[in-house]
Amino acid sequence: MTTSRLITCHSILQLDLNHPHAATALTDAHQMHRTVMAGFKNWVPDGERDARAQLGVLSTWSADLKTNTLLIVVQSRVRPDWSPLPRTALRQPADVRNIDLPITTGDRYTFRTVVNPVRAVRPTNTPGTTHPRGPSKRLPHVRPDHVRRWFEARLHPTDTTQNQNQETGHIGADADRATLAIRMLPPVESDHHKGLKISRAEIRGTLTVTHPTNFTHTLTNGLGKARAYSCGLILTRPTSS
């Protein structure tokens, strides 16, 4: 039986939506990114374009408007320091946990993930030539059935020895497809980056590990695009059923 190991760090932040810092993060994707990255100052040189990827930072968030609470979960390769966040913005101190999880073929997990489901559309050729009009465009899936097909295409029904590429290949697990729940979420935008609009969908269900190495890779690196903007983190919980 094949086994892999997920070693990472999870931070759970509960912010008060009545505080301007949290309220701005909820309405601006760039401010949410800055809030998430606030815990990782000085780990890499300032200005590095791939700082998030080097640090293995993934995040997801949800807002409870009844209780005015913004819940942010952050995953990282290193242990963050959340002291730069305003104390008055936090409802309680940050909960930081080290994760060391063995992953074995056949393990089952309930999961939740928020993804940016997009498809590449190639331009048509210029009439009379074989040259395309321009580069491919990424267009969002906006219907739950299309998101379901996008996700199911990345499932891994059987174990193989081939290590698939995470971007376009299998995630290393299969799902109970009858219980998959898809919910479209409001897109996120930013005044800082004009034209930025990220479509989002929430996927919930149960996964069974078929390829531990691939599954660990997916949990570590995330699923799909827009991972700098709180998409792609898969949250899991072991289940015995």
Side-chain angles (χ1 to χ4, degrees):
M1 187 174 291
T2 307
T3 299
S4 184
R5 203 166 202 96
L6 175 69
I7 300 175
T8 189
C9 184
H10 277 189
S11 300
I12 302 171
L13 308 174
Q14 295 186 52
L15 280 69
D16 184 354
L17 277 174
N18 290 318
H19 193 282
H21 186 95
T24 304
L26 182 64
T27 59
D28 190 296
H30 181 69
Q31 182 60 36
M32 180 67 74
H33 172 72
R34 292 183 63 186
T35 297
V36 169
M37 294 303 294
F40 303 96
K41 186 175 177 59
N42 298 327
W43 275 101
V44 297
D46 289 343
E48 293 236 349
R49 295 179 60 85
D50 62 345
R52 184 208 60 81
Q54 288 186 54
L55 295 165
V57 175
L58 296 169
S59 64
T60 189
W61 58 266
S62 60
D64 187 333
L65 300 180
K66 290 182 179 180
T67 63
N68 282 318
T69 301
L70 175 63
L71 175 67
I72 306 176
V73 180
V74 182
Q75 178 175 290
S76 55
R77 293 176 61 188
V78 301
R79 193 174 180 89
D81 171 17
W82 296 110
S83 61
L85 294 181
R87 289 187 180 182
T88 53
L90 290 168
R91 288 192 176 273
Q92 59 186 42
D95 181 359
V96 182
R97 309 174 183 182
N98 291 323
I99 305 296
D100 187 347
L101 178 67
I103 297 175
T104 303
T105 303
D107 287 348
R108 286 172 57 83
Y109 299 90
T110 58
F111 80 97
R112 174 188 180 269
T113 185
V114 173
V115 295
N116 170 229
V118 296
R119 67 192 190 279
V121 177
R122 295 182 177 179
T124 58
N125 292 342
T126 304
T129 73
T130 59
H131 301 293
R133 296 180 185 272
S136 297
K137 294 183 178 180
R138 292 175 183 161
L139 299 180
H141 291 297
V142 296
R143 289 173 39 182
D145 56 328
H146 291 168
V147 175
R148 176 183 291 271
R149 287 198 290 270
W150 177 91
F151 182 68
E152 290 182 347
R154 287 155 175 78
L155 294 175
H156 201 169
T158 57
D159 186 18
T160 68
T161 57
Q162 184 178 3
N163 195 14
Q164 303 283 346
N165 178 272
Q166 188 271 337
E167 285 289 347
T168 57
H170 299 142
I171 68 173
D174 199 8
D176 183 349
R177 303 181 190 217
T179 63
L180 282 177
I182 313 292
R183 182 167 70 103
M184 303 309 299
L185 300 176
V188 296
E189 303 181 48
S190 175
D191 292 335
H192 185 82
H193 294 294
K194 297 297 182 182
L196 177 71
K197 187 174 183 178
I198 299 169
S199 62
R200 301 182 305 141
E202 177 190 71
I203 308 173
R204 292 178 181 264
T206 303
L207 293 170
T208 301
V209 177
T210 56
H211 195 295
T213 301
N214 280 27
F215 190 59
T216 302
H217 184 273
T218 303
L219 294 182
T220 301
N221 295 281
L223 178 65
K225 304 296 184 182
R227 282 171 276 178
Y229 294 103
S230 298
C231 292
L233 174 60
I234 303 176
L235 298 177
T236 61
R237 177 172 294 181
T239 176
S240 56
S241 59

